[in-house]
Amino acid sequence: MAEKSKTGNAWVNFVLIFIMGAVFAVGFFKVPPAMGSLMEYFQCGLGEAGWFMSACSVAGTIIAFATGIIQTKIGPKGMLIAALICMALDSLVGVLAPSVEMFIASRFIGGLGNGFLATAGPTLIALLFKDPAKRGLPNSIWACWTAAGSLIMLNAFAAILGATGSWQGVWWFCLAVNTVALVVAVFCIRIDHAQEMAMVATGGGVKPWAGLASLNSWLLVVIFACFAFIFSVWSAMAPTYLQTPLVGMDMAAANSVSSITTVTGIVGSLIIGVVLSKVKNQPLVLVATMVLCTVAGVIQFVFTGQAAIIVVAVLVGLFTNIVPPALFSNAQWAAKTPAGVALVMAALPIGSNFGGIPAAPIAGAIVESTGSWAMVAAPLGIVGAIGLLCSIVFMLRCSKAALETSEQR
């Protein structure tokens, strides 16, 4: 009974943690639907505005090398609280920012919080659900925290903007909601502090680059970077593109169509999960996902008809979100030993962050210099081809091991 007085019901705690993640993501994804208003307010071009999201990736890359150490000092619940504090500062500094440079700095702070939360979530699940066999469902649900927040913000942005009258009103709204979430996290999530600190006591000794000990792991990291580049361009730029005269959607319609990608992304993740459980040659599945991801990149800004754009939004969600599950599933072939799988998994976010950093700035600069959104297909296609080539090399190196392992089971 003494333990229950310190740590509450596992599912109640988990639901609260998931809600905290979704609230964080609501604030994190407030920029894409506001891109046009922000560019007008700060008098900046599309290339510079691309850093409004890429700054988050820069912060994520930097903090990835320290989250293990930080978690050993403050625990996973402390990381969750720190994430919410970062997002509160993101909104506060951003709404008061006197310059575009200060606004980008606010997004860097939010990116630090994203790194904290991405580390804290899985650790808290492992702490709450001590039986590994019972972690599958909560881990699957937790994987949707960013999608949930993005979906909420994209569909609520127009209403919040209409009620408050400006993009600053959206930032104040996010600050208020985030502050409430912070109070809930501090006082309502019940975690035994001694247990959480004991769980993470050795985590600081694991370095992200420890998983980069083989060519196979490097191939997966590069593939993840290519996926992140393609996905980040769409998530950051799509609402702005849909509101251009080329397409002609109003803000509410543009944000709603952009959110389709989130919904179909969840569907794609579920579909690829079934495929991976049925197909023995998982490296081959990875190649197929990169073929589709490359197609998703090339078609992003080529079509201008509104009906065609809806189809594109559906396909981008389906074709891009199948890549991460395939990468995670293939991590076992990249590791030299069974114990090394966790190290490879820890290294993969390095690729994701590096791919996300240049995505929106490059796409924005191309549109500004050429005057054509369709020209963005060129770098997206090149990046996709690099990822596809890496996936083919990985398949040639690892298919035999995957098939032999499947036959032994």
Side-chain angles (χ1 to χ4, degrees), residues 269-328:
S269 297
L270 296 175
I271 291 174
I272 197 65
V274 174
V275 172
L276 288 166
S277 67
K278 301 294 184 181
V279 178
K280 295 180 179 180
N281 192 345
Q282 292 187 353
L284 178 60
V285 175
L286 180 60
V287 172
T289 63
M290 278 310 301
V291 170
L292 295 176
C293 185
T294 302
V295 171
V298 172
I299 66 174
Q300 284 183 13
F301 305 119
V302 173
F303 300 97
T304 57
Q306 294 191 9
I309 288 294
I310 292 174
V311 174
V312 169
V314 169
L315 294 180
V316 169
L318 284 173
F319 290 176
T320 57
N321 285 277
I322 58 177
V323 176
L327 281 167
F328 297 147

Side-chain angles (χ1 to χ4, degrees), residues 366-402:
I366 288 174
V367 174
E368 284 188 315
S369 61
T370 66
S372 171
W373 281 86
M375 288 299 294
V376 180
L380 288 169
I382 292 171
V383 169
I386 293 171
L388 176 58
L389 178 61
C390 289
S391 69
I392 292 173
V393 174
F394 183 86
M395 179 188 68
L396 295 175
R397 292 174 58 86
C398 299
S399 284
K400 182 178 179 181

Side-chain angles (χ1 to χ4, degrees), residues 33 150-151 154-155 234-235 238-243 247-265 300 304-317:
S150 174
L151 192 63
L154 285 171
N155 286 286
W234 174 265
S235 61
T240 302
Y241 172 66
L242 299 183
Q243 294 176 69
V247 181
M249 291 185 182
D250 60 28
M251 179 184 292
N255 292 337
S256 179
V257 170
S258 299
S259 73
I260 291 174
T261 302
T262 302
V263 177
T264 58
Q300 284 183 13
T304 57
Q306 294 191 9
I309 288 294
I310 292 174
V311 174
V312 169
V314 169
L315 294 180
V316 169

Side-chain angles (χ1 to χ4, degrees), residues 180-275:
V180 173
L182 182 58
V183 173
V184 172
V186 171
F187 294 104
C188 298
I189 296 176
R190 298 176 60 195
I191 301 293
D192 187 311
H193 185 64
Q195 288 185 16
E196 67 171 330
M197 297 311 294
M199 169 172 280
V200 301
T202 59
V206 179
K207 308 301 182 185
W209 56 84
L212 300 174
S214 68
L215 175 60
N216 293 337
S217 59
W218 275 104
L219 290 169
L220 292 185
V221 168
V222 174
I223 293 169
F224 210 173
C226 294
F227 150 79
F229 185 95
I230 293 171
F231 183 79
S232 296
V233 168
W234 174 265
S235 61
M237 312 297 281
T240 302
Y241 172 66
L242 299 183
Q243 294 176 69
T244 62
L246 286 171
V247 181
M249 291 185 182
D250 60 28
M251 179 184 292
N255 292 337
S256 179
V257 170
S258 299
S259 73
I260 291 174
T261 302
T262 302
V263 177
T264 58
I266 295 172
V267 174
S269 297
L270 296 175
I271 291 174
I272 197 65
V274 174
V275 172

Side-chain angles (χ1 to χ4, degrees), residues 24 38 58 76 89 130 159 165 189 254 329 363 366 373 384 408:
F24 179 95
L38 292 169
V58 173
L89 291 172
K130 294 181 173 56
I189 296 176
S329 183
I366 288 174
W373 281 86
Q408 294 172 3

Side-chain angles (χ1 to χ4, degrees), residues 137-155:
L137 180 57
N139 272 315
S140 298
I141 297 173
W142 174 251
C144 300
W145 67 275
T146 54
S150 174
L151 192 63
I152 292 169
M153 177 48 72
L154 285 171
N155 286 286

